[in-house]
């Protein structure tokens, strides 16, 4: 997969924001599905009029396909990409489907809400409370990774790993030492495998370096 150098409706067009965890999961899915696409890095403070006109809720990622089909939910983009590459059965095995979507839902609701509380807490009490709430989800993942020998649901990556990773990354980066002190060895190993992967490095390249 490559980022397309200049705008061209022959390729899907992605409005993105480099550090946004939703945009990261969409870019990871497009990348591992070998889809070439044009990427437009937005400023959250000055969103393109065209993006708002096609998706008034104003969030990224937004993927446009062939001028007319729009997807403005990161999970929808992931599923579309996996279907194009015919890798849905590998990344969303039937036997784990329910569990995968339940975990991603917990990530996107409970974990994300507490992550925001943790990031923006006004007092140490609030910060610690939110941290501990986040840790309940992290500990669940840690146990699953240990049980499944490497990734959340099996020995290989699934949609759950790709969809959840960037949120855990944000959590760890709020205070790396505080996280390290909790000694979640399995999550640490899982995190470094994805963080160090060529796929993740590629999709995190700064747009002006493409
Ligand atoms: N449910 C959406 C959520 C996307 C989302 O909230 N993205 C954030 C950036 S991380 C955003 O664009 N926020 C709009 C803003 O900050 O103005 C998805 O999964 O794509």
């Amino acid at each position: 997969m490559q980022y397309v150098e200049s705008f061209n409706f022959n390729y899907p067009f992605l409005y993105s924001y480099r550090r946004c965890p939703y945009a990261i999961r969409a870019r990871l899915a497009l990348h591992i599905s070998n889809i070439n696409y044009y990427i437009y890095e937005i400023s959250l403070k000055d969103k393109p009029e065209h993006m708002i006109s096609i998706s008034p809720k104003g969030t990224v990622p937004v993927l446009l396909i062939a001028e007319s089909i729009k997807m403005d939910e990161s999970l929808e983009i992931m599923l579309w990409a996996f279907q194009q590459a015919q890798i849905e059965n590998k990344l969303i095995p039937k036997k784990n489907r329910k569990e995968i979507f339940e975990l991603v839902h917990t990530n996107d609701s409970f974990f994300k809400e507490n992550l925001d509380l943790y990031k923006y807490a006004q007092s140490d009490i609030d910060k610690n409370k939110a941290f501990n709430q986040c840790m309940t989800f992290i500990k669940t993942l840690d146990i699953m990774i240990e049980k499944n020998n490497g990734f959340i649901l099996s020995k290989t990556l699934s949609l759950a790993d790709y969809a959840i990773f960037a949120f855990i990354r944000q959590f760890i980066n709020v205070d790396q030492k505080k996280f390290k002190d909790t000694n979640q060895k399995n999550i640490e190993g899982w995190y470094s495998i994805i963080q160090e992967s060529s796929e993740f490095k590629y999709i995190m390249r700064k747009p002006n370096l493409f």
Side-chain angles (χ1 to χ4, degrees), residues 17 19-23 25 42 44 47 51 57-61 72-75 108 112 170:
Y17 184 70
R19 285 178 294 124
C20 163
Y22 301 96
R25 62 157 68 140
I42 70 157
L44 288 172
K47 296 173 187 161
M51 181 184 119
K57 66 181 173 154
T59 61
V60 283
D72 59 8
E73 280 296 319
S74 54
L75 273 184
D108 291 10
K112 167 71 171 138
Q170 275 200 349

Side-chain angles (χ1 to χ4, degrees), residues 3 9 33 37 39 62 71 77 89 109 119 123 147 173 181-182 189 193 204:
Y3 290 123
F9 265 125
S33 302
Y37 63 97
I39 188 163
V62 177
M71 293 176 210
I77 296 172
N89 292 340
S109 50
K119 276 186 353 199
S123 70
K147 183 173 140 235
N173 285 338
D181 288 347
T182 66
I193 291 174
M204 290 307 282

